[in-house]
Amino acid sequence: MAHGKLRTLTRSRAVLLLLVSGFWLFYWQELQVDGDLHSPAPSTQATTPSSMLTEEEFYKNFRTRFIEGHRKLSEIELYFWRNYQTIEKYILERKAKVMEHCQTLAYKKFLRPNLYHFPSLNFTWCPSYKAASTVWKNYLVRKLVDPTIKYCNFHYLVEYNLRGYGTGHQRGRRTYRSENEGAVRFTVIRNPFVRLISYWKMSRNCQLARSSYIQDLLLKRTLPPQLQNSHYQFIQELNNFVSWCKVRRDESSEQVHPEEYGKPFSPDNPFLNPPHLTLKELIEHIQEQRSRLRLSDWEGHWAPVSEWCDVCQFQHDYYIKLENEPLELFYLLHKLNLWEDREKFLSIQNNSSRKTSDESELDLFTIAGSPLDISHSDRKFLNSFFENDLIMFGYNKLKV
């Protein structure tokens, strides 16, 4: 009897031990980690199974397991360190692809790059708008200018602007007298079509409705001959709406949408129906800009990153994909010696990634009647306009 109880107890302990061992084995395999949680040192182990995946497969797998699975930040960090070499491989391959494509271009110099150099941090940044530029701007203003500033603007960083053309080349890379030798150069990139959608959505609020060039585009709308007598009234309605937007913007930092205006526009007023740019009008404006390519009116919210950041001449060290955050963000922060500030980046409201749609919305470009429905010729133009970005950074063309 006693021996039977002992055997039963022994079997129970064995089963319990087996269950506990199985749990920890499963947990380790899920994270694919080993090492200390608080030790920011990349794994030096041999190639892991994750490194056999394509970039798209690797990050899709990560998003499914960790982001959609609502895993803890500590678990994501552990996963990052365990897969550090794999992440680095994708980033370095992206840089090599950029330089490889640059060799095929007959005209390698695009625009004066829009650069900010921070000597104390030893890096130079090209802000690609609608690709986490607000996050980096807020971080840098509060770190280098004043941590109490609530509403950060780029004018706070004007002293860090790397102006003018470089003084020469070093191994094909443009150099600047005012830039630290060996400074890390980087930019954050994003699917160019998603950037365009994001800007178009932003243009539908009062923040941009009050800008003169948006008003000029609205005034380009055709006024039928039978409405010529109402021309002054229609323009006055537009001016009143813009004035309201200015007041509301001064009173609140929140973006105010035209729908909150509350005063009815004349239903036949073409300048205010709708009171914002259509996607078709925005694309026509981009086509007009492309035809003259004047630096004075080039717009960073939709300009190809390859041109805006002059990647062939400037030759950045890192092109970090917004779609692959936080893993590639962690990698960059480690390289910039800003690892201790990682939680500050995650706590800053990232308008670009949280308030706009992902690549799945690109299908709406080809669905008749959708908000993004544009013509076949417009889709062909956008594919041509962003062609270098698509090749360099590995994004797909629109369906035509």
Side-chain angles (χ1 to χ4, degrees):
M1 181 102 175
H3 288 295
K5 288 183 178 180
L6 181 60
R7 283 196 296 271
T8 300
L9 185 60
T10 302
R11 282 197 298 270
S12 299
R13 287 177 176 174
V15 170
L16 180 61
L17 181 60
L18 205 57
L19 288 172
V20 171
S21 301
F23 168 78
W24 283 111
L25 178 61
F26 171 78
Y27 185 73
W28 180 87
Q29 288 176 333
E30 273 288 285
L31 293 178
Q32 292 187 340
V33 297
D34 52 11
D36 185 9
L37 167 64
H38 303 290
S39 176
S43 170
T44 57
Q45 289 196 354
T47 302
T48 62
S50 62
S51 66
M52 305 299 291
L53 301 174
T54 65
E55 178 183 330
E56 182 179 358
E57 291 170 340
F58 174 80
Y59 286 111
K60 181 179 180 180
N61 180 53
F62 165 76
R63 286 190 294 271
T64 300
R65 293 168 56 191
F66 287 85
I67 304 303
E68 296 174 10
H70 303 289
R71 301 299 267 286
K72 296 178 181 178
L73 177 61
S74 58
E75 294 177 321
I76 294 176
E77 290 179 0
L78 283 168
Y79 184 86
F80 164 71
W81 290 117
R82 180 64 183 87
N83 292 279
Y84 185 95
Q85 291 181 325
T86 299
I87 296 166
E88 182 173 58
K89 176 174 75 76
Y90 296 138
I91 293 174
L92 295 181
E93 286 175 349
R94 190 177 305 140
K95 176 185 176 182
K97 193 171 185 179
V98 170
M99 296 313 303
E100 178 183 357
H101 185 63
C102 284
Q103 299 307 312
T104 69
L105 301 178
Y107 185 61
K108 298 183 175 63
K109 187 178 187 313
F110 294 106
L111 305 172
R112 181 174 65 241
N114 299 271
L115 308 170
Y116 291 83
H117 177 60
F118 306 96
S120 63
L121 301 175
N122 199 38
F123 67 72
T124 304
W125 168 53
C126 177
S128 174
Y129 303 143
K130 310 310 298 179
S133 59
T134 299
V135 172
W136 280 91
K137 175 193 64 179
N138 291 354
Y139 169 78
L140 291 165
V141 168
R142 290 167 185 159
K143 184 177 183 68
L144 301 175
V145 181
D146 184 349
T148 65
I149 294 177
K150 189 174 182 180
Y151 306 121
C152 303
N153 293 304
F154 270 104
H155 71 259
Y156 290 114
L157 299 177
V158 66
E159 67 177 283
Y160 300 101
N161 194 234
L162 197 58
R163 297 182 179 278
Y165 292 97
T167 57
H169 287 79
Q170 187 176 43
R171 295 188 299 276
R173 194 187 204 201
R174 186 167 290 284
T175 59
Y176 294 80
R177 279 191 298 267
S178 55
E179 185 184 22
N180 290 357
E181 185 176 354
V184 175
R185 299 173 171 182
F186 77 94
T187 188
V188 180
I189 59 176
R190 188 184 189 188
N191 186 302
F193 304 121
V194 178
R195 284 178 56 219
L196 181 63
I197 295 172
S198 179
Y199 176 80
W200 174 66
K201 288 183 175 181
M202 187 176 75
S203 72
R204 299 172 65 171
N205 61 56
C206 279
Q207 182 182 6
L208 285 185
R210 61 184 187 162
S211 64
S212 58
Y213 94 89
I214 292 287
Q215 295 168 48
D216 290 342
L217 292 177
L218 293 177
L219 289 171
K220 284 186 176 181
R221 292 174 177 172
T222 303
L223 187 65
Q226 66 271 23
L227 296 177
Q228 289 297 329
N229 292 336
S230 301
H231 185 262
Y232 175 79
Q233 174 194 340
F234 291 163
I235 290 183
Q236 190 59 48
E237 285 183 356
L238 174 62
N239 292 336
N240 291 341
F241 173 66
V242 171
S243 298
W244 177 80
C245 285
K246 290 180 179 179
V247 172
R248 289 299 303 273
R249 183 64 183 174
D250 291 339
E251 291 176 351
S252 170
S253 65
E254 298 298 322
Q255 296 178 344
V256 182
H257 291 265
E259 291 77 7
E260 300 177 26
Y261 183 47
K263 299 178 182 179
F265 310 127
S266 297
D268 51 359
N269 185 343
F271 309 135
L272 288 171
N273 287 290
H276 55 75
L277 291 182
T278 65
L279 186 58
K280 174 68 175 176
E281 289 172 329
L282 177 58
I283 294 173
E284 288 175 351
H285 177 57
I286 295 173
Q287 288 177 303
E288 183 182 349
Q289 279 195 325
R290 171 57 89 192
S291 66
R292 60 178 182 253
L293 200 60
R294 287 205 317 243
L295 299 184
S296 59
D297 63 6
W298 199 234
E299 172 55 67
H301 285 94
W302 61 71
V305 173
S306 54
E307 301 180 20
W308 182 253
C309 295
D310 205 356
V311 299
C312 294
Q313 292 283 311
F314 193 63
Q315 298 183 18
H316 299 69
D317 297 291
Y318 305 113
Y319 302 94
I320 301 301
K321 276 192 175 181
L322 181 66
E323 295 89 347
N324 297 344
E325 290 190 356
L327 296 183
E328 292 197 4
L329 170 65
F330 286 165
Y331 177 86
L332 180 62
L333 295 180
H334 176 246
K335 289 295 184 180
L336 298 179
N337 296 315
L338 297 177
W339 177 255
E340 296 302 319
D341 288 342
R342 64 195 181 281
E343 292 190 13
K344 293 182 181 179
F345 281 86
L346 298 178
S347 66
I348 297 173
Q349 177 68 30
N350 187 344
N351 291 329
S352 292
S353 61
R354 296 182 186 178
K355 290 189 177 181
T356 59
S357 55
D358 59 18
E359 292 186 45
S360 63
E361 189 167 347
L362 296 182
D363 291 336
L364 294 177
F365 273 116
T366 58
I367 299 177
S370 79
L372 305 182
D373 180 27
I374 56 175
S375 68
H376 176 84
S377 60
D378 285 341
R379 292 196 294 273
K380 286 188 66 176
F381 165 74
L382 291 178
N383 282 337
S384 174
F385 182 68
F386 291 122
E387 181 178 18
N388 289 324
D389 279 19
L390 300 176
I391 296 173
M392 290 177 172
F393 307 129
Y395 294 110
N396 296 322
K397 290 185 175 182
L398 291 176
K399 299 175 183 176
V400 295

